[in-house]
């Protein structure tokens, strides 16, 4: 299908982001915590492939995501790496633990959840606050502590400390689990440069810098959604405090890896199945100007492309997200209202790169037969690849219910498409 001369993985990804067709479809697996695979699904995949060496390492402990190993990346032609994988690289950085499902995986040495008598797992902040629980039968951790549940504080001097009691920050994935170390920023640069020198894959740095989501983490989502309408003054006060923290982070990220990483990944889940959490009018007033500031900072101070992870039906917000400065959108949730791939490609395919949308993980990848998966993936490739502006990834992470046969079929479909 693709006609160009052979490219390196980095060239392939960057060519597509620039809305030109690369030599083959660029592929991601595991470069972000929204484009990966659960530890259970990864374990099952390795077993299916007859791979007994290596380890199933859970690098994102909240979502229980595995860090794909080099042999898997090579096998499936993956073109992107998370800079975070350059940390926790020693065997002593991990320990064996058996999940409730009976599967042995490895957790980072710093993550030591406690087991309740009923089998649930709890995780705690440094001060003893219980910040997350994985209930019996669940396969990821839920947030249990909301610092501003009863209202907004008079000032935000303690905001950084409160943020560390949110499980997304208190149990954060690499490289940020090392952020408290005195030489972290020097380490980040050195490790990122070593990774770039040892691989031709594109590099992603995950920076978060969420705004809407931090409001839901701090206030709880029901309260914060009401606040958007009933208490916008307090919302803006919180957003400005968050923006100040995020710009400080971006300043350090850009200085450390702005000339090393190819993509900086932001996050802010703005959509439900039926549409955005808020009207475009509210988005434009409260969030768009601040998103634009974050994007502009990255573009002004680095070579990195801006990537927004935003779940759900965000069709109505896409024009504003593009204007705010995002180059890439993920996970491209094609199974929600108004997010038909044909529509997205036709209306926005020249203006933003779709990083995802390559396989429906809700209805197809987990339930269909391998032949049905192949047909599904080939159809989406036909729609999304013309003219570039596409990096293959599933619609969000592959969860434990995805059969390994279907994962193999998905990658086979990509290979067959490339050689058609």
């Amino acid at each position: 299908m693709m006609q160009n001369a052979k490219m390196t993985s980095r060239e392939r990804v960057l060519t597509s982001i620039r809305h030109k067709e690369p030599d083959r479809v660029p592929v991601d697996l595991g470069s972000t915590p929204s484009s990966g695979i659960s530890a259970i699904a990864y374990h099952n995949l390795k077993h299916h492939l007859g791979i007994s060496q290596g380890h199933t390492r859970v690098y994102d402990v909240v979502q229980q995501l595995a860090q794909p190993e080099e042999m898997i990346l090579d096998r499936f032609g993956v073109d992107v790496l998370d800079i975070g994988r350059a940390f926790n690289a020693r065997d002593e950085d991990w320990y064996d633990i058996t999940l409730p499902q009976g599967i042995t995986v490895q957790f980072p040495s710093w993550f030591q959840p406690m087991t309740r008598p009923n089998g649930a797992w709890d995780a705690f902040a440094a001060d003893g606050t219980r910040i997350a629980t994985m209930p019996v039968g669940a396969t990821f951790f839920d947030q249990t502590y909301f610092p501003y549940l009863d209202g907004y504080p008079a000032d935000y001097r303690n905001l950084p400390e409160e943020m560390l009691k949110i499980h997304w920050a208190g149990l954060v994935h690499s490289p940020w689990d090392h952020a408290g170390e005195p030489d972290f920023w020097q380490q980040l640069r050195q490790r990122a440069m070593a990774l770039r020198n040892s691989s031709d894959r594109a590099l992603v740095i995950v920076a978060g810098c969420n705004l809407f989501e931090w409001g839901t983490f701090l206030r709880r989502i029901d309260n914060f959604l009401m606040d958007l309408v009933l208490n916008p003054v307090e919302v803006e006060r919180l957003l400005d405090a968050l923006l100040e923290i995020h710009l400080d982070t971006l300043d350090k990220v850009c200085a450390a890896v702005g000339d090393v990483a190819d993509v900086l990944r932001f996050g802010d889940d703005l959509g439900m199945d039926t549409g955005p959490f808020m009207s475009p009018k509210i988005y434009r007033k409260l969030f768009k100007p601040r998103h634009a500031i974050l994007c502009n900072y990255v573009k002004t101070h680095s070579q990195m492309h801006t990537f927004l992870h935003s779940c759900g039906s965000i069709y109505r917000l896409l024009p504003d997200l593009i204007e705010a400065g995002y180059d890439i959108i993920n996970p491209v949730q094609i199974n929600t209202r108004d997010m038909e791939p044909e529509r997205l490609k036709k209306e926005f395919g020249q203006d933003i790169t779709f990083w995802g949308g390559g396989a429906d993980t809700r209805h197809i990848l987990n339930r269909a037969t391998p032949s049905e998966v192949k047909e599904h993936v080939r159809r989406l490739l036909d729609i999304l690849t013309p003219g570039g502006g596409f990096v293959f990834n599933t619609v969000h992470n592959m969860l434990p219910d995805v059969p390994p046969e279907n994962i193999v079929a998905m990658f086979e479909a990509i290979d067959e498409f490339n050689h058609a």
Side-chain angles (χ1 to χ4, degrees):
M1 183 64 69
M2 303 292 180
Q3 303 297 324
N4 299 291
K6 182 171 174 58
M7 298 178 173
T8 66
S9 284
R10 183 174 296 113
E11 290 169 343
R12 186 171 298 124
V13 171
L14 293 176
T15 296
S16 196
I17 292 173
R18 295 177 185 128
H19 297 276
K20 296 180 180 179
E21 286 191 17
D23 61 331
R24 64 171 176 80
V25 180
V27 174
D28 177 27
L29 173 63
S31 78
T32 81
S34 56
S35 60
I37 181 169
S38 84
I40 295 171
Y42 185 76
H43 169 90
N44 293 340
L45 175 62
K46 286 181 67 176
H47 180 75
H48 174 73
L49 295 172
I51 298 173
S52 57
Q53 69 265 38
H55 303 281
T56 297
R57 288 179 166 166
V58 181
Y59 89 100
D60 181 332
V61 300
V62 173
Q63 298 184 97
Q64 295 285 289
L65 300 180
Q67 181 173 277
E69 296 157 285
E70 192 74 27
M71 56 189 162
I72 296 294
L73 301 178
D74 287 342
R75 184 176 191 125
F76 295 124
V78 176
D79 295 299
V80 200
L81 294 176
D82 172 18
I83 283 176
R85 71 188 295 119
F87 288 76
N88 302 329
R90 306 169 304 168
D91 287 344
E92 53 264 41
D93 295 327
W94 304 85
Y95 71 97
D96 288 344
I97 189 165
T98 301
L99 297 178
Q101 293 78 12
I103 293 171
T104 298
V105 300
Q106 290 193 325
F107 281 177
S109 57
W110 57 262
F111 182 58
Q112 304 278 342
M114 297 185 65
T115 305
R116 291 192 207 172
N118 70 354
W121 288 9
D122 289 332
F124 298 86
D127 68 355
T129 302
R130 182 170 66 93
I131 61 173
T133 292
M134 185 162 71
V136 176
T139 55
F140 56 87
F141 281 82
D142 295 322
Q143 181 178 347
T144 55
Y145 177 69
F146 300 86
Y148 300 158
L149 185 61
D150 296 326
Y152 292 89
D155 62 65
Y156 287 102
R157 285 175 294 182
N158 295 328
L159 179 57
E161 290 77 15
E162 294 294 358
M163 291 170 77
L164 288 175
K165 295 179 187 177
I166 305 301
H167 67 329
W168 296 110
L171 309 175
V172 73
H173 55 76
S174 56
W176 302 105
D177 54 346
H178 291 264
E181 297 171 11
D183 63 341
F184 169 69
W185 296 105
Q186 296 92 329
Q187 275 195 64
L188 181 62
R189 179 165 184 80
Q190 291 165 4
R191 291 173 185 267
M193 290 179 69
L195 192 61
R196 189 177 179 98
N197 291 334
S198 66
S199 174
D200 71 358
R201 293 186 175 100
L203 299 184
V204 175
I205 179 73
V206 177
C209 296
N210 316 54
L211 291 172
F212 170 71
E213 280 190 296
W214 267 113
T216 69
F217 301 156
L218 293 161
R219 278 281 284 149
R220 205 174 64 190
I221 190 167
D222 53 343
N223 293 316
F224 194 63
L225 286 173
M226 289 188 286
D227 293 342
L228 299 182
V229 176
L230 301 176
N231 204 354
V233 172
E234 286 291 358
V235 169
E236 293 207 69
R237 202 166 63 86
L238 171 61
L239 295 181
D240 286 338
L242 289 166
L243 185 64
E244 184 177 347
I245 291 170
H246 294 337
L247 286 171
D248 181 63
T249 298
L250 290 179
D251 177 59
K252 294 180 173 68
V253 169
C254 289
V257 298
D259 59 341
V260 181
D262 301 292
V263 174
L264 183 140
R265 187 263 201 191
F266 291 108
D268 235 353
D269 283 342
L270 301 171
M272 307 174 286
D273 276 1
T274 54
F277 277 111
M278 69 203 75
S279 69
K281 180 180 179 181
I282 290 177
Y283 173 76
R284 291 176 196 131
K285 180 178 189 298
L286 298 177
F287 298 101
K288 182 178 178 179
R290 295 169 175 88
H291 280 162
I293 290 169
L294 296 173
C295 287
N296 183 65
Y297 192 93
V298 173
K299 292 173 182 290
T300 304
H301 295 88
S302 80
Q303 67 172 14
M304 298 181 290
H305 294 276
T306 51
F307 172 127
L308 177 67
H309 166 71
S310 185
C311 287
S313 171
I314 56 170
Y315 169 81
R316 294 171 63 205
L317 300 181
L318 274 172
D320 292 299
L321 294 171
I322 291 166
E323 285 184 6
Y326 293 111
D327 301 318
I328 301 161
I329 197 73
N330 161 273
V332 196
Q333 198 165 343
I334 57 173
N335 48 32
T336 61
R337 182 181 294 174
D338 299 327
M339 294 287 284
E340 298 86 0
E342 301 92 337
R343 181 183 200 174
L344 295 177
K345 187 70 173 180
K346 179 181 178 181
E347 295 189 28
F348 306 113
Q350 295 302 309
D351 301 312
I352 200 162
T353 292
F354 299 115
W355 191 300
D360 180 347
T361 47
R362 180 184 289 178
H363 305 110
I364 305 297
L365 201 60
N366 58 341
R367 297 179 181 177
T369 66
S371 61
E372 290 169 336
V373 168
K374 280 193 172 187
E375 182 180 353
H376 170 72
V377 171
R378 282 195 294 259
R379 173 182 167 271
L380 290 166
L381 290 171
D382 282 335
I383 295 167
L384 294 169
T385 58
F390 176 63
V391 175
F392 183 91
N393 184 234
T394 53
V395 177
H396 220 295
N397 300 314
M398 289 181 273
L399 296 181
D401 62 342
V402 175
E405 298 87 349
N406 286 0
I407 297 174
V408 172
M410 176 183 75
F411 285 112
E412 285 179 348
I414 300 169
D415 191 57
E416 291 166 7
F417 179 85
N418 286 327
H419 291 92

